[in-house]
Amino acid sequence: MRNQQATKLIFELSRPGRRAAVLDPPDLPVPEASDCLPAEHLADGPPPLPELAEGDVVRHFVNLSTQNMSVDTHFYPLGSCTMKYNPKRNERLASLPGFAAVHPLQDEATTQGWLRVLYELQQMLGEISGLPGVSLQPAAGAHGELTALMVAAAHFRQRGEARDIVLTADSAHGTNPASAAMVGYETRTVVSGPDGLVDVDDLRAKLDDRVAVFMLTNPNTLGLFDSRIREITSMVHDRGGLIYLDGANMNAILGIVRPGDFGADLMHYNPHKTFSGPHGGGGPGAGPICVREDLARFLPRPIVRRDGDRYFWDEEGEDSIGRVRSFFGNQGILLRAFAYLRTYGGDGLRQVSEDAVLGANYLLSRVRHILDVPHGERCMHEFVATAARLKKERGLSAMDLAKRILDFGFHAPTVYFPLVVEEAVMIEPTETESKETLDAFAEALFRVTEEAVDLVKDAPHTTRISRPDDVAASRRPVIRWTP
Ligand SMILES: *Cc1c(COP(=O)(O)O)cnc(C)c1O
């Protein structure tokens, strides 16, 4: 079943002199390379590329492509990552030569269509967030966090305030404290109460005039909307601090509530999550940020602006923190987001979020009979179960469940995040899955919890490799092939 050819590197399959195609020698005079280029710029010989027949090259890559799971092949309930279906039409649009072949240094007069797309995307993101200042530059969500904190730092510097602390929630994504540390802030953690929401008393105790920003995720990583959000944001504002919204969970609230209306001052979007851009495997994402009107002057430049019918890159801005990326951002993913937003429109986006919440609650109502779900009777677009009882009673951990579910043809949920839940199993189905898929997943999960312990502990049994040493894979990765 396992294809041996597919385990080999393409370099190992190479045989000297083997060719994909054999062409007749040209019957036109061919100039010597040394007649065209100075000798010091010529290579000593051909590059050491693998030599294979065309069929073997095709098989090699097609087989490799089947060794992983993707949203196109499997249900992918990876909590916090919003692995929704990626409409193929958006892929086709992004590969149109008029978009894909544009050079970033091309004259603006020749890229008016592109600039209009980006301008209108800025407008839409500003509208959905209720925060009108928009920069499309950051290259990922984490980069958006970093950029927005640099904007916040510029704001306090200009006011002459020496604030040096960023508060993060204990259920936050690890990028929140990491971004704060990169901007030079000390971080303090605000704990969650037993209900999984921000413990307002703990926030009050940790809030003082040194606090620059409170970074929060709402709905939070437990899939719960913080019912005291207005009180929380007012408390921070009253002490002169800013609220940063980690927008990774926007899929739950599109067109329903605007972060700017509940008190966020700055936020990022993850268009590769919320707006269906393909992601995973380290591929390009984007992390556009939106800020309150009075903070917009600190945003990175350039920003696309409109003057009558003409669109242009505005590089001006004395207070700007400067560029955070070469050229204009990951435009391919931004174009897909634009196409997604225009396809759904306002009412459609609201429907996206309502369906995401409905799907998650349906699955929650089934999973509750299999695993404990410690926080919340209902959820937003995702929920966090725990395998703690299963571990105590049968010795099966969240990791064992995650590994075994692969054999049933499902990607694993997120495990061991957020840290506030022991043996966490974080499930986010997204709105693009059918009831039948959700039922099949719940049934597979139930079966795994009932199976023989040894069978589950040795899983997965059907994948290319079974259980790699994940510490060694991260600390001592072998990423270079040596002949
Ligand atoms: C994904 C995610 C991030 C980071 O976003 P990237 O685009 O992966 O850099 C931050 N916070 C939360 C809650 C996330 O789920």
Side-chain angles (χ1 to χ4, degrees):
M1 197 171 74
R2 291 180 183 179
N3 183 331
Q4 286 311 307
Q5 286 296 94
T7 64
K8 290 197 172 149
L9 297 173
I10 195 162
F11 288 94
E12 294 168 317
L13 299 173
S14 171
R15 293 292 174 271
R18 198 163 284 175
R19 285 287 173 273
V22 179
L23 303 177
D24 285 340
D27 51 9
L28 290 171
V30 180
E32 287 297 316
S34 52
D35 294 339
C36 310
L37 286 170
E40 69 267 28
H41 293 314
L42 293 179
D44 298 331
L49 295 175
E51 300 174 77
L52 283 88
E54 182 173 337
D56 292 332
V57 175
V58 169
R59 256 177 226 158
H60 177 74
F61 286 109
V62 172
N63 283 328
L64 276 183
S65 78
T66 63
Q67 290 186 19
N68 216 336
M69 289 182 152
S70 69
V71 284
D72 284 353
T73 55
H74 298 88
F75 176 47
Y76 213 123
L78 195 66
S80 212
C81 294
T82 313
M83 304 300 288
K84 63 172 78 176
Y85 173 68
N86 311 144
K88 295 294 165 276
R89 178 192 40 219
N90 298 349
E91 299 305 306
R92 282 197 293 276
L93 285 176
S95 63
L96 289 175
F99 290 119
V102 166
H103 193 280
L105 294 178
Q106 213 166 305
D107 191 322
E108 269 163 23
T110 66
T111 58
Q112 285 295 300
W114 242 128
L115 290 174
R116 181 172 164 192
V117 164
L118 297 174
Y119 178 83
E120 290 183 7
L121 180 61
Q122 287 175 184
Q123 302 289 107
M124 289 190 282
L125 296 178
E127 175 64 31
I128 295 167
S129 62
L131 296 165
V134 182
S135 167
L136 301 177
Q137 253 194 38
H143 195 206
E145 293 173 22
L146 178 82
T147 308
L149 288 176
M150 287 164 71
V151 166
H155 160 80
F156 290 117
R157 214 161 32 241
Q158 197 170 70
R159 294 168 63 93
E161 294 183 40
R163 294 174 182 254
D164 61 345
I165 289 172
V166 164
L167 300 179
T168 58
D170 60 359
S171 58
H173 197 267
T175 50
N176 289 189
S179 300
M182 282 186 75
V183 182
Y185 285 110
E186 189 185 307
T187 56
R188 277 188 201 158
T189 308
V190 177
V191 302
S192 314
D195 55 2
L197 305 176
V198 171
D199 180 333
V200 174
D201 293 329
D202 191 54
L203 172 62
R204 192 173 294 111
K206 285 169 181 159
L207 195 57
D208 58 29
D209 299 338
R210 287 175 59 195
V211 171
V213 181
F214 181 22
M215 300 179 82
L216 53 84
T217 314
N218 191 33
N220 67 17
T221 60
L222 294 166
L224 304 173
F225 191 90
D226 210 309
S227 49
R228 296 173 77 176
I229 188 68
R230 292 299 289 267
E231 188 185 343
I232 292 166
T233 57
S234 303
M235 276 168 69
V236 173
H237 289 154
D238 288 348
R239 299 302 292 260
L242 296 174
I243 294 287
Y244 181 80
L245 180 87
D246 177 331
N249 291 342
M250 284 302 286
N251 210 46
I253 59 171
L254 296 171
I256 297 169
V257 58
R258 305 195 309 169
D261 294 344
F262 64 62
D265 304 299
L266 321 96
M267 69 167 283
H268 77 258
Y269 286 94
N270 307 66
H272 43 291
K273 298 179 181 173
T274 315
F275 305 133
S276 82
H279 62 306
I289 59 171
C290 297
V291 303
R292 230 169 53 190
E293 187 122 51
D294 60 305
L295 298 173
R297 65 180 188 281
F298 302 112
L299 286 174
R301 293 295 187 269
I303 286 175
V304 190
R305 300 208 195 275
R306 188 170 112 178
D307 177 14
D309 287 344
R310 190 177 71 91
Y311 299 88
F312 63 100
W313 289 113
D314 180 8
E315 302 271 357
E316 306 293 316
E318 251 176 58
D319 297 325
S320 165
I321 60 166
R323 273 176 186 277
V324 294
R325 198 190 179 285
S326 56
F327 300 112
F328 313 123
N330 285 340
Q331 299 203 347
I333 210 80
L334 296 171
L335 174 65
R336 289 170 176 89
F338 171 85
Y340 183 85
L341 289 166
R342 287 297 300 263
T343 303
Y344 280 98
D347 293 343
L349 283 181
R350 190 187 170 104
Q351 188 78 48
V352 162
S353 286
E354 287 175 354
D355 291 350
V357 172
L358 180 64
N361 276 285
Y362 176 72
L363 194 51
L364 168 62
S365 73
R366 295 210 53 171
V367 170
R368 204 184 265 304
H369 299 291
I370 307 168
L371 297 172
D372 295 330
V373 180
H375 300 288
E377 274 305 305
R378 296 271 171 78
C379 64
M380 297 293 287
H381 66 309
E382 65 188 354
F383 61 93
V384 182
T386 169
R389 190 163 48 87
L390 190 68
K391 193 172 178 185
K392 212 163 115 214
E393 291 172 2
R394 302 202 62 215
L396 293 177
S397 66
M399 183 61 83
D400 295 328
L401 290 187
K403 295 290 186 186
R404 179 60 179 153
I405 203 86
L406 303 176
D407 289 332
F408 288 81
F410 296 106
H411 191 279
T414 297
V415 287
Y416 301 103
F417 175 74
L419 305 178
V420 290
V421 174
E422 196 191 338
E423 294 294 323
V425 179
M426 183 191 211
I427 300 174
E428 178 182 9
T430 84
E431 73 284 0
T432 58
E433 298 297 336
S434 67
K435 177 175 177 294
E436 290 76 19
T437 301
L438 303 186
D439 285 335
F441 175 75
E443 275 146 34
L445 190 65
F446 177 66
R447 274 185 60 186
V448 173
T449 61
E450 299 274 297
E451 280 183 316
V453 170
D454 289 350
L455 181 71
V456 179
K457 288 251 162 234
D458 283 347
H461 303 280
T462 55
T463 52
R464 179 81 258 139
I465 53 170
S466 187
R467 294 208 185 195
D469 177 338
D470 29 78
V471 176
S474 127
R475 299 294 147 86
R476 284 183 280 113
V478 181
I479 49 176
R480 179 160 179 258
W481 179 74
T482 331

